[in-house]
DNA sequence: CAAAAGCGAGAGCACTGCTCTCTAAATCCG
DNA sequence: CGGATTTAGAGAGCAGTGCTCTCGCTTTTG
């Protein structure tokens, strides 16, 4: 870790910072290596010393965004499981609305030809974990299909003692939250439930019932 | 409607057909006006006589894709509301999996700077309608917030006599389906629920319960 | 201290969306 | 019918993109 390595880290951070600014304004599709280079005062080819390809930069941004979201979620605490779920859901939505492009970078359409590289998997798991933890207090009906519960076996790596059916139900409800937020961000609710606050709130209440978190 | 106009329609159709092929292979982001022009045997500038901008072409593709999806959904019939919901859900998922780029064109990340033009709204409504119709047979708890039911008032234009709370619940469940399918297509379920068949099936069963469609 | 490795600059390739001008054909209208 | 107008398509060109390659220069390494 000589001076050289520190300089490299600083430059890498500067590039990602510029990339995050570009991302916030243009979205993932409009993220341009040359524009980033301009912003950090380098020529475009120099950026490729740090990220060999645009995809590599995007992958780094994805991991970073997962981290930001996970951080926000971990800051959401509440006394009862029901309240915790509510807070998690609203934290997710608020985060998405304040950083729409970051949310869409994570949960939106994959870049054409892009396949999620392995390093994004633990980052994604960090986002799911706080939701899954509530599964410890859930009592769900259904979600007991044999092969489904087999698939959920690995979830105990994230949350020990988590029931498979609870894990599956939480996963499904997390998908529902992400779906609702995605539709809202994309403007699909404009003709019907806009602003989406009330629909979202009702959805969360329904989820608390479905997950059996109401009894406290 | 002279010969000239017919020729124009044919060329327009040829362009959209080529665009659909490109879309299926490259996705919306990789859709190139020049590649389309090459495929129909024109020079790129000629394409701009038919679609003044790439966005205009994309809008046309979006409307067309909504139409395809709505058509598929309208072909799904079943005797009981519960079975109809199941069939609609699976039709949605199957359609998305067979045409991932078309699904993502509709429900995925909007193109940077793109805002859905008004002509897409009725097309989107045509997709929601078959789901909303099942709301006539639903009995839902919750979703009775005053302002939410006020927002749902316009839904009776699509489905007469539809209860606002049912409309809201259906909308939320449609968002859940879209969210689950989006996550599946994006590969977000690979580490957990892959293949997603069982999770999806369990989700649909849960929805039937939530919507009160089970009693028949 | 010489050799190797790393960094940044610059030029260049093939591609993109889009505009502009030009030619030729079809249509309109007096 | 025939001149005027509209229209389709071609071609060149502009500004931008991701990415590669080569060339100096500096820093690190053996």
């Amino acid at each position: 870790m000589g001076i050289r390595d520190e300089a490299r880290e600083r430059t890498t951070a500067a590039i990602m910072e510029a990339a995050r600014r570009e991302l916030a304004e243009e979205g993932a599709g409009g993220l341009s290596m040359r524009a980033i280079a301009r912003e950090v005062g380098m020529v475009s080819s120099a950026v490729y010393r740090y990220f060999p390809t645009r995809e590599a930069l995007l992958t780094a941004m994805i991991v970073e965004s997962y981290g930001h979201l996970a951080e926000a979620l971990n800051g959401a605490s509440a006394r009862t499981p029901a309240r915790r779920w509510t807070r998690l859901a609203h934290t997710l939505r608020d985060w998405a609305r304040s950083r729409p492009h970051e949310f869409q970078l994570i949960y939106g359409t994959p870049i054409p030809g892009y396949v999620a590289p392995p390093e994004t998997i633990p980052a994604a798991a960090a986002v799911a974990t706080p939701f899954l933890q509530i599964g410890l207090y859930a009592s769900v009906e259904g979600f007991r299909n044999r092969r489904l519960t087999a698939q959920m076996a690995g979830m105990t790596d994230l949350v020990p003692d988590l029931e498979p059916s609870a894990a599956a139900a939480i996963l499904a409800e997390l998908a529902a939250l992400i779906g609702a937020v995605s539709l809202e961000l994309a403007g699909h609710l404009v003709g019907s439930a806009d602003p989406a606050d009330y629909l979202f709130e009702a959805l969360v209440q329904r989820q608390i019932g479905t997950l059996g978190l109401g009894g406290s």
Side-chain angles (χ1 to χ4, degrees), chain A:
Chain A
M1 297 170 222
I3 302 174
R4 200 59 178 261
D5 304 77
E6 282 174 27
R8 187 166 226 285
E9 270 179 40
R10 266 202 313 277
T11 308
T12 304
I15 290 172
M16 289 192 66
E17 194 180 330
R20 215 170 51 241
R21 276 196 300 271
E22 277 268 310
L23 182 68
E25 285 173 16
E26 311 287 340
L31 200 149
S32 147
M33 298 295 266
R34 298 175 107 115
I36 291 166
R38 254 173 266 135
E39 207 167 334
V40 301
M42 299 200 296
V43 86
S44 75
S45 61
V47 176
Y48 287 85
R49 297 264 178 213
Y50 298 85
F51 297 95
T53 196
R54 203 185 94 112
E55 264 190 31
L57 213 199
L58 278 177
T59 299
M61 302 295 299
I62 288 174
V63 171
E64 194 186 63
S65 291
Y66 271 128
H68 287 164
L69 175 54
E71 198 179 333
L73 292 171
N74 284 325
S77 68
R79 287 190 311 280
T80 69
R83 284 179 188 277
R84 203 146 63 235
W85 181 268
T86 305
R87 288 217 49 188
L88 282 179
H90 282 97
T91 302
L92 175 70
R93 176 169 178 248
D94 294 344
W95 186 87
R97 281 156 50 97
S98 69
R99 297 166 144 78
H101 293 301
E102 282 191 59
F103 180 86
Q104 287 166 334
L105 178 67
I106 299 181
Y107 293 113
T109 308
I111 311 303
Y114 182 87
V115 283
E119 63 257 49
T120 64
I121 292 180
V127 168
T129 300
F131 289 93
L132 287 167
Q133 275 165 348
I134 301 185
L136 293 173
Y137 306 93
S139 81
V140 317
E141 295 165 27
F143 294 93
R144 298 196 187 281
N145 173 288
R146 242 189 66 245
R147 274 173 288 200
L148 179 58
T149 57
Q151 288 176 337
M152 293 299 119
M155 289 296 173
T156 48
D157 294 351
L158 297 175
V159 181
D161 302 323
L162 181 60
E163 290 259 348
S165 65
I170 297 268
L171 222 54
E173 297 305 344
L174 184 51
L177 289 175
I178 290 169
V181 171
S182 293
L183 289 187
E184 180 184 4
L185 287 186
H188 278 106
L189 301 178
V190 166
S192 46
D194 180 54
D197 304 42
Y198 315 118
L199 182 65
F200 193 80
E201 179 59 43
L203 164 62
V204 171
Q205 286 309 312
R206 195 274 298 153
Q207 293 184 314
I208 288 174
T210 299
L211 295 172
L213 302 174
S216 178

